[in-house]
């Protein structure tokens, strides 16, 4: 394998129909494959020997009490933890068979393929249009008509176009919290990632805005693989195809969401999803 193949892997195109069910995905090769993954902040171990895989174009929810390692694992998937001093990773993390922790991997290219939406919306202090156009220009897109087309398509993809099309050149900071979060999602999908990571994207939103984010997630999985961290059990049950339950840095159980919430294999999982602890 050449260095160029590692730094800019040709991610394969999913041949299944858009919006395929979890059952249809069960026979397909995994997109993300974790084997014996452990993660350390200095001497403190945050993740302990995690092994499981995630298939393409499904929503996978990470659940568990605060401090159990959900967000740490999410940030491992696009190496955001590299920005923290003193961290250490053991084990394997592969996307389409490519080890993303290999020293040959171009982290910037990885983060183009694996986008991130954070807990609190973080629009740039620029216009709505410029929030997306600026990200595109950083990627080398210069043609104005091309940029305008991608801006519109991204806003449509984030179910925001109809709400903002008449004020594209006004400040993004004037949008509501829910609109700002959808703008951040539009910004993420503008550079055409394959995977979108979401770290509690609706935790700071009201119920109506939360419902719009959830509807958007269900729409986006036709084109993207989505991994979402959530403390909201009802949200995980509503929008995810698979659920992974973590506790104290360990993966306790991973299965279809229906199985996790109706017939979990582990009593610890049952106690958590039924509200007996956590």
């Amino acid at each position: 394998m050449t260095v160029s193949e590692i730094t800019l892997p040709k991610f394969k195109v999913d041949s299944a129909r858009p919006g395929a069910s979890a059952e249809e995905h069960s026979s397909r090769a995994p997109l993300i494959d974790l084997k014996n993954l452990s993660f350390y902040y200095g001497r403190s171990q945050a993740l302990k020997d995690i092994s499981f895989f995630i298939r393409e174009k499904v929503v996978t929810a990470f659940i568990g009490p605060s401090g159990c390692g959900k967000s740490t694992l999410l940030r491992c998937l696009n190496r955001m933890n590299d920005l923290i001093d003193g961290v250490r990773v053991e084990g394997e993390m592969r996307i389409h068979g490519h080890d993303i922790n290999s020293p040959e991997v171009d982290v910037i290219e990885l983060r183009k393929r694996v986008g991130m939406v954070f807990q609190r919306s973080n629009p740039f202090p620029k216009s709505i249009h410029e929030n997306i156009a600026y990200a595109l220009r950083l990627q080398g897109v210069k043609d104005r008509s091309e940029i305008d087309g991608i801006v519109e398509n991204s806003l449509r993809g984030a179910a925001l176009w109809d709400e903002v099309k008449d004020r594209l050149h006004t400040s993004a900071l004037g949008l509501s919290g829910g609109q700002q979060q959808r703008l951040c999602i539009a910004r993420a999908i503008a550079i055409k990632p394959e995977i979108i990571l979401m770290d509690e994207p609706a935790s700071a939103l009201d119920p109506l805005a939360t419902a719009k984010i959830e509807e958007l997630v269900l729409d986006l999985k036709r084109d993207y693989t989505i991994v979402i961290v959530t403390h909201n059990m009802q949200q995980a049950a509503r929008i995810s195809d698979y659920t992974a339950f973590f506790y104290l840095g360990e993966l306790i159980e991973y299965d279809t969401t229906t199985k996790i919430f109706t017939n979990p294999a582990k009593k610890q999982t049952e106690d958590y999803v039924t509200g007996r602890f956590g």
Side-chain angles (χ1 to χ4, degrees):
M1 182 181 295
T2 67
V3 171
S4 63
E5 285 176 323
I6 297 173
T7 56
L8 241 178
K10 178 67 174 177
F11 285 176
K12 62 188 178 182
V13 176
D14 193 322
S15 60
R17 68 172 179 83
S21 67
E23 289 75 13
E24 289 175 271
H25 285 277
S26 64
S27 63
R28 306 212 315 272
L31 169 60
I32 301 168
D33 194 3
L34 311 181
K35 293 181 180 178
N36 307 115
L37 179 72
S38 294
F39 184 87
Y40 300 81
Y41 293 104
R43 296 182 179 180
S44 175
Q45 187 171 3
L47 297 173
K48 304 173 184 177
D49 198 31
I50 305 293
S51 296
F52 72 109
F53 58 84
I54 296 173
R55 295 188 174 92
E56 295 175 276
K57 295 182 182 176
V58 294
V59 179
T60 301
F62 291 175
I63 65 171
S66 297
C68 69
K70 306 183 299 296
S71 292
T72 294
L73 178 56
L74 195 75
R75 292 193 299 268
C76 283
L77 296 176
N78 70 347
R79 290 182 53 176
M80 287 290 290
N81 290 320
D82 288 13
L83 304 173
I84 303 171
D85 291 336
V87 300
R88 179 164 55 92
V89 180
E90 296 176 353
E92 296 182 8
M93 299 185 65
R94 296 184 177 273
I95 296 178
H96 277 313
H98 297 271
D99 181 3
I100 66 171
N101 286 313
S102 169
E104 291 88 358
V105 166
D106 185 326
V107 178
I108 293 175
E109 291 296 332
L110 172 67
R111 291 174 187 157
K112 289 180 186 177
R113 303 298 181 102
V114 186
M116 186 104 182
V117 177
F118 296 93
Q119 182 174 3
R120 293 191 178 275
S121 57
N122 59 341
F124 303 142
K126 300 175 180 290
S127 72
I128 295 167
H129 182 280
E130 189 63 14
N131 260 267
I132 300 172
Y134 180 71
L136 293 171
R137 282 194 286 271
L138 287 177
Q139 306 303 323
V141 182
K142 297 179 179 179
D143 183 81
R144 182 169 181 174
S145 61
E146 182 182 0
I147 288 173
D148 288 346
I150 295 173
V151 168
E152 178 175 345
N153 289 337
S154 300
L155 290 169
R156 287 187 184 277
L160 190 57
W161 174 254
D162 289 339
E163 298 173 36
V164 302
K165 61 184 179 182
D166 297 324
R167 48 175 175 151
L168 291 177
H169 299 287
T170 63
S171 174
L173 301 181
L175 297 173
S176 69
Q179 289 174 324
Q180 287 186 16
Q181 192 65 295
R182 280 183 284 149
L183 177 61
C184 293
I185 293 172
R187 192 172 64 197
I189 66 178
I191 58 174
K192 299 182 179 179
E194 184 174 9
I195 299 164
I196 302 175
L197 311 176
M198 297 185 171
D199 193 357
E200 297 193 68
S203 65
L205 303 179
D206 61 54
L208 182 59
T210 295
K212 289 185 177 181
I213 294 293
E214 291 181 4
E215 290 171 10
L216 177 55
V217 169
L218 293 173
D219 285 339
L220 289 173
K221 79 171 183 177
R222 296 188 178 97
D223 299 306
Y224 305 95
T225 299
I226 297 173
V227 185
I228 183 169
V229 167
T230 180
H231 278 100
N232 187 322
M233 296 299 98
Q234 292 79 16
Q235 182 174 82
R238 285 192 297 263
I239 67 173
S240 67
D241 301 292
Y242 291 86
T243 295
F245 168 53
F246 296 89
Y247 185 67
L248 296 179
E250 297 182 6
L251 175 62
I252 305 301
E253 189 167 353
Y254 174 60
D255 212 319
T256 63
T257 297
T258 299
K259 180 86 162 46
I260 291 291
F261 281 92
T262 62
N263 187 28
K266 304 287 182 68
K267 186 177 187 302
Q268 197 170 13
T269 307
E270 181 181 358
D271 288 346
Y272 183 75
V273 300
T274 56
R276 290 179 189 148
F277 84 95

